[in-house]
Amino acid sequence: MDRVLVLNSDFTPLNVTSVCRGYTLVSRGKAEILKVGESPIITGMSSVVRPLIIRFLNYVKYRLRAVKLKRERIYKRDGWKCVYCENKKNLTIDHVIP
């Protein structure tokens, strides 16, 4: 299934959604189409354009979610090994054993 990039009114990316949801936002007048796909959406009665990139007409407020730093996430990021000596045993959060 194709996806649609959803932009805020100031052209900041919000998310990626389905073509059905993207077309619904456009048909309700909440968004405008910035880029159109090559193949149209064919329905029983007519064919309509397939949106690829849409932009909201009104600004949508949103909060950026801060990623919480946790021991597991840091270990996973580093591949469960020390960045300095590549040892996989006796790991600490800062990878330095005092």
Side-chain angles (χ1 to χ4, degrees):
M1 175 166 260
D2 292 334
R3 305 307 249 167
V4 176
L5 175 63
V6 181
L7 303 175
N8 212 342
S9 63
D10 61 350
F11 293 95
T12 56
L14 289 176
N15 67 350
V16 178
T17 187
S18 66
V19 173
C20 181
R21 174 74 176 144
Y23 181 74
T24 303
L25 289 170
V26 171
S27 67
R28 290 187 179 178
K30 295 182 179 185
E32 66 179 348
I33 299 176
L34 296 180
K35 187 171 183 181
V36 178
E38 295 177 3
S39 60
I41 300 172
I42 300 172
T43 63
M45 302 295 280
S46 64
S47 64
V48 293
V49 294
R50 179 182 304 269
L52 287 181
I53 301 174
I54 63 173
R55 179 179 74 97
F56 278 116
L57 298 176
N58 296 326
Y59 185 78
V60 177
K61 293 181 182 179
Y62 66 96
R63 282 189 292 162
L64 291 175
R65 296 181 195 164
V67 176
K68 295 182 180 178
L69 293 177
K70 294 184 178 181
R71 188 177 300 270
E72 290 285 321
R73 289 186 181 160
I74 293 174
Y75 289 156
K76 184 177 179 182
R77 178 197 68 188
D78 295 337
W80 298 94
K81 62 183 178 182
C82 179
V83 195
Y84 302 112
C85 65
E86 297 186 5
N87 186 8
K88 294 191 176 195
K89 297 180 182 179
N90 300 327
L91 290 178
T92 60
I93 194 69
D94 56 355
H95 298 276
V96 176
I97 300 175

